[in-house]
Amino acid sequence: KYYSNKDEIYNTYDKNDLGFTYSKEKTTFKVWAPAASQVLLKLYSTGSYREDNATVLSMKQMHMDPTNGVWSVTVEGDLHGIYYTYIIQNGKKQNETQDVYSKATGVNSKRSMVVDLERTNPDGWENDKHIFVDKQTQAIIWEVHVRDFSISLTSGVSRQNRGTYLAFTEKDTKVPCTDAPTCLSYLQELGITHVQLNPVYDYGSVDERTGTEYNWGYDPVNYCVPEGSYSTDPYHGEVRIKEFKEMVKALHEAGIGVVMDVVYNHMYSADDSCFEKTVPEYYFRKHGNRYLNSSGCGNVTASEKLMYRKYMVDSLKYWVEEYHIDGFRFDLMACHDIDTLNLIREELDKIDPRILMYGEPWTADNGDNGISGDDCCSKANAKKLSDRIAMFNDDMRNGIKGGSDDDTKGYVQGSSNDTYKLLAGMMGASSDTFGRWAKCPTQCITYASAHDNLTLWDKLLKSNYNHDYNTKDTSIIDQNKLCATLVLMSLGIPFMLAGEEFARTKHGDHNSYRSPDSVNAIDWSRTLRYKDLVAYYKGLIRIRKNSELLTCCTPEAVHKTYMTYNGKVIAGTMANIDNPKNDYKFMAIVVNNTNEKSAFELKSNYELPNKWYAIADHDVATGKAFRAFDSSNFEIRPQSALVLVDAESYDKINGNKDQDSIAEYIL
Ligand code: CA
């Protein structure tokens, strides 16, 4: 055994009142500390480090049974704004710690705070609604870091809100001295359905007092508290809660859902964590005295332990119910066991089955995970997980552009080495013909860039121009457009790093987790310099949003897709013969990565139409027909893409009104 199974020793607790239960008249504190011989509650008037006149109260075990493990005390009066810690005696060790179930903390998370959550609700919060999509494959996810989003002057956000949650609430922001929209206005025009925020729970690597330090935040301290450095006042615990809710509300009003990046797999520090101080040797996987390290960050938590599993469930439900969060991205999901993730799915389903769940189906160190390879949430085990728990498809990512940080080439740079992985990915990793790990496309996140590794633009520069990050060459834009087509016109759930659509660069910095703003900040002026590229993404997003075919979910629908690769051209034909929702009967995606025009033939298990329209090519993506083709045999230009729909359905949907602008295709 890699860990001592203390679930056999300790009684667990299944009620939902751990932490504090607040009312104006009294507050009850409960902490699960089954190994403790004494637990004290310490009340403070401030949340900073200063010692002040603390009140110390002793807590009692809830029942006479000494193995119950829950300690409790009730304090009379209105405790909103009172800070607190527990002093826990475990054997000879006495530790002062914040609450595992903290909902608010003072600066840098040393002290928990009692909060009347009602008082943190912004005006109109009671009318705030989740933003969900009916099918997971209708989500189009844009990943962004709160600070990156607005810290640059080019964001046009007011000085006091730059880099904070509140930047998301500013409307009609523009690149200074231009009409180019930024931030929230820009996102509304782009058309994505969800933002995924890099960690916004409280993390440990940034001193919240400075306002200048930078980190991605993959080092959790308090899982149920918003990070303080993104608030305008990290000292008063209620401020960040209110500002976080303001952010969610503004995004929801703009029609955009909010996905949180959650990192339950490891913590900033195991020894210094509230978990270890409260119940030693329980929450982390260990081998002897050594913390296991499949997270690659010094420790890995034990999702299989009943009280950590319960904690994950409680914490996720709290974000959904209190903050109206619409989905979760699980960091290093293969550190977690399958039962826990399926349980989380079931528990979230009780709130709403449309809450998004997806994650990284890998660990950082496979040899040091502490649970069997059969039990962890890897791609190999996708079939054991709910079909609404999705996984990042790194095989397809590499097929598109080559290795994430090296100078190898993928399909868009002209390589054919991994094209079959790309084809499998275009089928949502759900096709037996090309290789399958997903049950259906709702399990597959399709992407070419994320916060980890080189930005897509830097990767294209590195692989084409041997590390020259200042090259100006439009053929890179063509390759970027091919990536956009492959991600957005495939089955699965499309995902991109913020700014992929305007050639975001970090100047070759492939791991910018603690690099300065000068590397990480989004330069919104690039939306002007690369406005053609932005328009292209925007058009493909619009096409995707209007297509039942591209967002199909079921294995049966996948079987109606026919992919071919003739050594040069990829051509996929999707069929929807019954066409229940007035969508196109046929749609085809064609991509040519060579430097010459190439012939190909569309194929299908169904009789193909004799007339097609192009609604996107390598220049424009509008969703409007602009070229007609009178067979399924044709040629495609070098380094280009085509999105085709059958003319009959198109004319039926659009009432022939586009006929005048449709020209015959001329190579
Ligand atoms: Ca923090």
Side-chain angles (χ1 to χ4, degrees):
K1 262 185 197 164
Y2 281 105
Y3 51 87
S4 58
N5 192 347
K6 298 225 165 128
D7 282 334
E8 290 164 9
I9 305 169
Y10 299 144
N11 280 345
T12 53
Y13 184 74
D14 59 5
K15 295 201 178 62
N16 291 320
D17 60 354
L18 290 174
F20 67 83
T21 303
Y22 169 87
S23 75
K24 284 196 165 53
E25 292 73 38
K26 63 181 186 198
T27 296
T28 298
F29 299 83
K30 284 185 186 170
V31 56
W32 186 69
S37 55
Q38 185 189 49
V39 182
L40 305 173
L41 171 70
K42 209 168 171 183
L43 302 174
Y44 296 93
S45 59
T46 73
S48 56
Y49 305 90
R50 276 192 310 280
E51 195 54 50
D52 56 16
N53 291 325
T55 307
V56 181
L57 300 166
S58 64
M59 299 179 76
K60 291 197 167 52
Q61 294 216 53
M62 278 176 65
H63 303 285
M64 293 307 287
D65 180 351
T67 62
N68 179 280
V70 173
W71 299 71
S72 173
V73 67
T74 296
V75 182
E76 301 292 323
D78 186 347
L79 266 58
H80 172 74
I82 295 293
Y83 291 83
Y84 69 98
T85 58
Y86 298 122
I87 296 172
I88 302 180
Q89 186 79 41
N90 282 308
K92 286 182 181 144
K93 263 194 214 157
Q94 191 184 66
N95 284 308
E96 179 167 4
T97 177
Q98 80 276 26
D99 196 343
V100 165
Y101 273 81
S102 294
K103 287 178 173 165
T105 65
V107 69
N108 286 338
S109 40
K110 298 290 186 228
R111 293 178 186 168
S112 307
M113 188 189 110
V114 179
V115 59
D116 176 3
L117 288 163
E118 285 276 320
R119 290 188 230 180
T120 65
N121 291 345
D123 288 344
W125 185 244
E126 64 280 9
N127 299 320
D128 181 67
K129 293 265 182 324
H130 282 284
I131 300 289
F132 291 130
V133 285
D134 291 332
K135 303 185 286 186
Q136 275 74 10
T137 48
Q138 290 170 321
I140 302 168
I141 303 164
W142 196 80
E143 181 193 30
V144 72
H145 184 280
V146 169
R147 190 173 170 96
D148 296 354
F149 186 63
S150 61
I151 197 72
S152 159
L153 279 170
T154 60
S155 71
V157 166
S158 64
R159 193 168 172 276
Q160 72 272 15
N161 287 345
R162 264 181 241 142
T164 72
Y165 300 124
L166 290 180
F168 287 83
T169 67
E170 292 203 11
K171 299 202 167 95
D172 303 319
T173 52
K174 293 182 166 53
V175 176
C177 310
T178 76
D179 285 333
T182 62
C183 297
L184 192 68
S185 309
Y186 167 85
L187 288 181
Q188 273 183 291
E189 286 194 11
L190 183 61
I192 51 104
T193 65
H194 288 74
V195 294
Q196 178 195 301
L197 301 171
N198 292 118
V200 284
Y201 55 72
D202 174 42
Y203 60 82
S205 53
V206 158
D207 185 339
E208 297 176 357
R209 297 170 299 184
T210 66
T212 54
E213 293 183 7
Y214 185 92
N215 206 285
W216 281 348
Y218 290 82
D219 46 71
V221 176
N222 292 297
Y223 284 108
C224 301
V225 178
E227 163 59 18
S229 61
Y230 304 139
S231 79
T232 59
D233 173 5
Y235 292 89
H236 296 93
E238 71 281 10
V239 177
R240 62 179 82 173
I241 299 177
K242 182 166 189 208
E243 292 178 348
F244 191 113
K245 287 176 176 175
E246 299 266 19
M247 168 181 71
V248 172
K249 181 168 165 271
L251 283 160
H252 283 173
E253 281 170 0
I256 298 167
V258 184
V259 175
M260 266 179 80
D261 192 337
V262 288
V263 186
Y264 291 102
N265 65 77
H266 74 275
M267 297 196 74
Y268 181 63
S269 156
D271 284 334
D272 289 339
S273 70
C274 49
F275 290 92
E276 184 66 19
K277 286 178 176 172
T278 305
V279 191
E281 310 274 316
Y282 179 78
Y283 288 106
F284 296 90
R285 294 183 193 140
K286 287 182 97 169
H287 191 187
N289 285 327
R290 187 175 69 83
Y291 289 108
L292 297 190
N293 188 31
S294 55
S295 64
C297 300
N299 60 72
V300 59
T301 54
S303 58
E304 68 283 3
K305 295 286 183 63
L306 295 179
M307 289 303 280
Y308 194 65
R309 181 178 288 169
K310 170 180 165 53
Y311 184 80
M312 288 173 73
V313 170
D314 290 347
S315 164
L316 292 160
K317 283 167 69 179
Y318 175 69
W319 283 108
V320 173
E321 291 174 333
E322 185 61 35
Y323 289 91
H324 305 177
I325 290 296
D326 307 297
F328 298 99
R329 175 264 190 203
F330 292 82
D331 189 67
L332 300 179
M333 191 163 69
C335 292
H336 301 316
D337 66 292
I338 289 165
D339 289 347
T340 297
L341 267 285
N342 279 335
L343 175 70
I344 290 168
R345 183 70 268 177
E346 281 172 34
E347 290 294 319
L348 293 181
D349 282 354
K350 291 176 190 166
I351 304 172
D352 199 303
R354 296 170 298 176
I355 294 167
L356 293 175
M357 279 182 70
Y358 55 94
E360 294 180 307
W362 52 76
T363 62
D365 179 352
N366 284 324
D368 212 17
N369 203 15
I371 55 171
S372 151
D374 292 337
D375 296 332
C376 70
C377 299
S378 61
K379 280 197 302 233
N381 294 328
K383 289 186 177 67
K384 299 179 191 170
L385 281 155
S386 160
D387 60 10
R388 285 170 297 109
I389 298 176
M391 297 177 170
F392 285 92
N393 190 356
D394 52 335
D395 297 328
M396 178 179 185
R397 178 196 67 198
N398 294 349
I400 292 174
K401 62 170 189 179
S404 289
D405 289 333
D406 56 30
D407 52 12
T408 58
K409 296 182 178 186
Y411 181 79
V412 301
Q413 300 106 315
S415 164
S416 55
N417 291 342
D418 276 330
T419 307
Y420 282 93
K421 287 183 182 168
L422 171 56
L423 297 180
M426 292 179 76
M427 308 281 270
S430 308
S431 156
D432 294 323
T433 315
F434 293 102
R436 173 178 196 179
W437 52 260
K439 288 179 186 171
C440 53
T442 56
Q443 268 193 329
C444 180
I445 299 276
T446 299
Y447 73 121
S449 70
H451 70 273
D452 277 321
N453 309 114
L454 292 171
T455 67
L456 177 59
W457 188 251
D458 287 348
K459 164 67 193 179
L460 293 176
L461 287 173
K462 182 169 185 172
S463 51
N464 284 287
Y465 294 106
N466 194 25
H467 304 235
D468 179 357
Y469 295 106
N470 296 312
T471 308
K472 291 189 175 60
D473 184 331
T474 50
S475 74
I476 303 291
I477 293 182
D478 291 341
Q479 292 179 8
N480 197 325
K481 285 180 168 177
L482 294 189
C483 289
T485 310
L486 291 167
V487 169
L488 287 161
M489 298 294 107
S490 290
L491 309 186
I493 306 170
F495 171 101
M496 67 181 107
L497 175 66
E500 182 189 300
E501 74 281 15
F502 46 83
R504 182 169 176 190
T505 179
K506 295 183 189 171
H507 316 288
D509 188 339
H510 68 94
N511 187 14
S512 64
Y513 74 102
R514 57 176 186 185
S515 301
D517 292 332
S518 56
V519 171
N520 282 301
I522 289 179
D523 175 359
W524 290 96
S525 71
R526 291 175 82 87
T527 61
L528 284 162
R529 201 175 321 151
Y530 296 96
K531 64 174 191 265
D532 177 53
L533 188 57
V534 174
Y536 192 74
Y537 273 83
K538 210 185 282 184
L540 291 179
I541 287 170
R542 195 177 313 135
I543 290 169
R544 184 175 183 89
K545 280 169 127 176
N546 290 324
S547 172
E548 282 289 317
L549 278 165
L550 287 168
T551 57
C552 77
C553 288
T554 61
E556 297 72 40
V558 174
H559 293 148
K560 294 176 184 166
T561 298
Y562 201 108
M563 293 291 295
T564 62
Y565 175 54
N566 64 11
K568 292 175 180 171
V569 177
I570 293 172
T573 311
M574 287 167 273
N576 185 17
I577 299 301
D578 311 330
N579 198 15
K581 289 193 180 160
N582 201 29
D583 190 24
Y584 304 118
K585 273 190 182 165
F586 291 93
M587 198 164 174
I589 315 300
V590 189
V591 188
N592 176 16
N593 72 339
T594 69
N595 291 321
E596 54 209 43
K597 67 180 182 184
S598 303
F600 68 97
E601 183 183 2
L602 292 176
K603 290 189 178 140
S604 173
N605 290 323
Y606 303 90
E607 193 185 335
L608 285 170
N610 51 25
K611 193 172 180 191
W612 296 87
Y613 292 151
I615 57 171
D617 68 3
H618 68 291
D619 275 331
V620 292
T622 59
K624 269 174 71 94
F626 58 90
R627 291 275 188 276
F629 301 77
D630 58 5
S631 97
S632 297
N633 255 313
F634 37 126
E635 288 187 311
I636 180 169
R637 290 171 186 158
Q639 283 224 326
S640 66
L642 280 170
V643 179
L644 305 166
V645 296
D646 71 289
E648 188 190 332
S649 309
Y650 184 93
D651 287 337
K652 210 164 105 191
I653 295 166
N654 294 283
N656 288 318
K657 65 179 164 38
D658 292 338
Q659 286 306 313
D660 292 346
S661 58
I662 299 172
E664 294 297 316
Y665 187 61
I666 302 157
L667 267 177

Short mmCIF file of all heavy atoms in Angstrom, two decimals, residues 202-203 208 227, ligand 1:
data_model
loop_
_atom_site.label_atom_id
_atom_site.label_comp_id
_atom_site.label_asym_id
_atom_site.label_seq_id
_atom_site.Cartn_x
_atom_site.Cartn_y
_atom_site.Cartn_z
N ASP A 202 -8.16 30.63 -4.14
CA ASP A 202 -7.01 31.22 -3.45
C ASP A 202 -5.76 30.35 -3.63
O ASP A 202 -5.76 29.18 -3.27
CB ASP A 202 -7.34 31.36 -1.96
CG ASP A 202 -6.14 31.82 -1.16
OD1 ASP A 202 -5.43 32.73 -1.64
OD2 ASP A 202 -5.91 31.27 -0.07
N TYR A 203 -4.71 30.94 -4.18
CA TYR A 203 -3.45 30.21 -4.33
C TYR A 203 -2.31 30.92 -3.60
O TYR A 203 -2.48 32.04 -3.11
CB TYR A 203 -3.13 29.97 -5.81
CG TYR A 203 -2.98 31.19 -6.69
CD1 TYR A 203 -1.78 31.89 -6.74
CD2 TYR A 203 -4.02 31.60 -7.52
CE1 TYR A 203 -1.63 32.98 -7.59
CE2 TYR A 203 -3.87 32.69 -8.36
CZ TYR A 203 -2.67 33.38 -8.39
OH TYR A 203 -2.52 34.45 -9.23
N GLU A 208 -0.34 38.71 -1.94
CA GLU A 208 -1.51 39.51 -2.31
C GLU A 208 -1.35 40.99 -1.95
O GLU A 208 -2.12 41.84 -2.40
CB GLU A 208 -2.77 38.94 -1.63
CG GLU A 208 -3.09 37.53 -2.08
CD GLU A 208 -4.27 36.91 -1.34
OE1 GLU A 208 -4.82 37.57 -0.43
OE2 GLU A 208 -4.64 35.78 -1.68
N GLU A 227 -9.19 33.98 -5.13
CA GLU A 227 -7.84 34.51 -4.97
C GLU A 227 -7.92 36.02 -4.67
O GLU A 227 -8.67 36.76 -5.30
CB GLU A 227 -7.04 34.24 -6.25
CG GLU A 227 -5.77 35.06 -6.44
CD GLU A 227 -4.74 34.88 -5.30
OE1 GLU A 227 -4.82 33.92 -4.53
OE2 GLU A 227 -3.87 35.77 -5.19
CA CA B 1 -3.68 33.90 -2.44
#
